[in-house]
Amino acid sequence: MENFNIKGILSFKTCCVMCILISFLPNTRTLHITNIIVPPFVDVRDVVTLSCSYNIGTQKLNSVKWYKNDKEFYRYAPLMPTKQNMIFNLEGVHITTDHVCNEKFCTIHLDNLNNESTGAYRCEVSGDAPEFQLSHETSNMTVAALPQHNPKIEGIERNYYEGDFLFGNCTSDFSYPPPIMSWYINDQKADSNLLQPFQESTVDAYGFKLYQRSLEIRFRIDKRINPFITDGKVHMRCVAQIRQMPSQIRESEHIFYVSSWDELRNQKLINWKSSAHNLKITTAKSILMYILLPICYFIAGSKMLLQTIKS
Ligand SMILES: *[C@@H]1O[C@H](CO)[C@@H](O)[C@H](O)[C@H]1NC(C)=O
Ligand SMILES: *[C@@H]1O[C@H](CO)[C@@H](O)[C@H](O)[C@H]1NC(C)=O
Ligand SMILES: *[C@@H]1O[C@H](CO)[C@@H](O)[C@H](O)[C@H]1NC(C)=O
């Protein structure tokens, strides 16, 4: 009796687990979207691919529609005798000719993006009569004008002595959103008291206002004031970052060398010694030229004179 009860409980449990598992399995009979691909961040110069995959189950595919901010811009309607692909004009949405839609997926490409292309993109798939099942997915796309090159560093020399003043200017490429600029000295973020307020200029492009920013850094090369400065190699790094886009970091590096005044003194001493050495050589040469040569000539001359007299 007891054994039977335990078996009964076990089978009841197993049944529950199975039921729960089955309820989590995707329903293969009803029409549903399996995947939507909309890139979250794109550059305004990109050609963007939007794709929607679906399982129509036992249904017949009636239509696939693409919307931006609830406005339809593309429709695939395979049951229509004509005009199976329709494109509707929408600001910021320009569809290229190579769209491919079928019973499994619908892929379109957008080019000539601009500031109006940012938005919520929705794919909506519907089945045919009598049920007209509907499934939709939405994904946001943000269009930016990303910087095309690394920031430019100007003004920093290659060699400094302790006590010198360093001036550096870092200028970003034009972008929207505007870049956040920062300086790093040997991987330490430069303190704001070393920085001047940033300068900004703008141009209009693709419906955006693009920003270029310059950030100046100035400091005295002094180990007591700036302990992160060491003798020898110092790495100066300038970073231009686009907010909300962690992958969009542009940076440049400039290396300079610091010598202490002791080294300079030693250097001077070496120079002086070597110039003193040179002086000796020059003196020796002069002695040869101005004293020994005339003597030689004199001796030679005398010999010739003597010979003339003898003959
Ligand atoms: C998409 O953008 C809208 C409007 O900016 C916002 O309300 C929504 O939360 C965003 N959705 C996602 C998934 O980020
Ligand atoms: C820094 O560079 C920018 C861009 O070249 C320039 O507009 C700005 O005047 C420079 N600043 C200084 C102090 O040279
Ligand atoms: C896009 O740019 C155009 C032209 O500069 C402007 O009229 C429009 O308001 C902008 N739209 C958005 C969403 O910023």
Side-chain angles (χ1 to χ4, degrees), residues 154 167 169 171 214 216:
E154 287 168 308
F167 160 83
N169 191 10
T171 305
S214 294
E216 275 179 51

Side-chain angles (χ1 to χ4, degrees), residues 152 154 167-172 196 199-201 212-216 218:
K152 278 201 181 73
E154 287 168 308
F167 160 83
N169 191 10
C170 180
T171 305
S172 75
Q196 301 295 308
Q199 311 261 308
E200 192 172 81
S201 51
Q212 181 182 56
R213 284 180 177 173
S214 294
L215 184 64
E216 275 179 51
R218 293 175 190 177

Side-chain angles (χ1 to χ4, degrees), residues 135-237:
S135 175
H136 58 83
E137 289 289 339
T138 307
S139 211
N140 286 348
M141 183 171 89
T142 301
V143 181
L146 300 173
Q148 301 296 292
H149 60 71
N150 289 334
K152 278 201 181 73
I153 294 178
E154 287 168 308
I156 305 181
E157 309 283 343
R158 216 174 139 66
N159 295 291
Y160 290 93
Y161 286 110
E162 259 219 84
D164 284 353
F165 271 98
L166 178 145
F167 160 83
N169 191 10
C170 180
T171 305
S172 75
D173 189 13
F174 284 94
S175 71
Y176 181 85
I180 312 281
M181 307 292 290
S182 42
W183 275 103
Y184 289 81
I185 308 169
N186 280 343
D187 286 331
Q188 298 242 17
K189 193 164 184 188
D191 204 80
S192 60
N193 63 18
L194 308 182
L195 306 173
Q196 301 295 308
F198 66 79
Q199 311 261 308
E200 192 172 81
S201 51
T202 60
V203 292
D204 292 321
Y206 316 105
F208 290 114
K209 197 177 273 299
L210 309 189
Y211 293 81
Q212 181 182 56
R213 284 180 177 173
S214 294
L215 184 64
E216 275 179 51
I217 187 166
R218 293 175 190 177
F219 59 90
R220 195 181 146 98
I221 295 176
D222 187 324
K223 277 173 236 165
R224 287 160 303 169
I225 302 174
N226 299 311
F228 39 82
I229 294 172
T230 48
D231 269 354
K233 223 178 188 179
V234 178
H235 291 254
M236 295 292 292
R237 190 154 52 92

Side-chain angles (χ1 to χ4, degrees), residues 245-271:
M245 298 189 203
S247 60
Q248 284 307 318
I249 292 180
R250 288 266 178 185
E251 58 180 44
S252 295
E253 200 180 64
H254 184 103
I255 291 169
F256 69 84
Y257 295 87
V258 182
S259 316
S260 66
W261 280 107
D262 287 346
E263 286 173 56
L264 179 67
R265 245 175 261 126
N266 288 342
Q267 193 61 39
K268 280 198 171 155
L269 205 61
I270 290 164
N271 285 346

Side-chain angles (χ1 to χ4, degrees), residues 47 49 74 95-101 107-111:
V47 175
T49 300
Y74 182 83
I95 300 175
T96 65
T97 51
D98 54 344
H99 37 86
V100 180
C101 296
T107 299
I108 56 177
H109 306 279
L110 309 181
D111 66 359

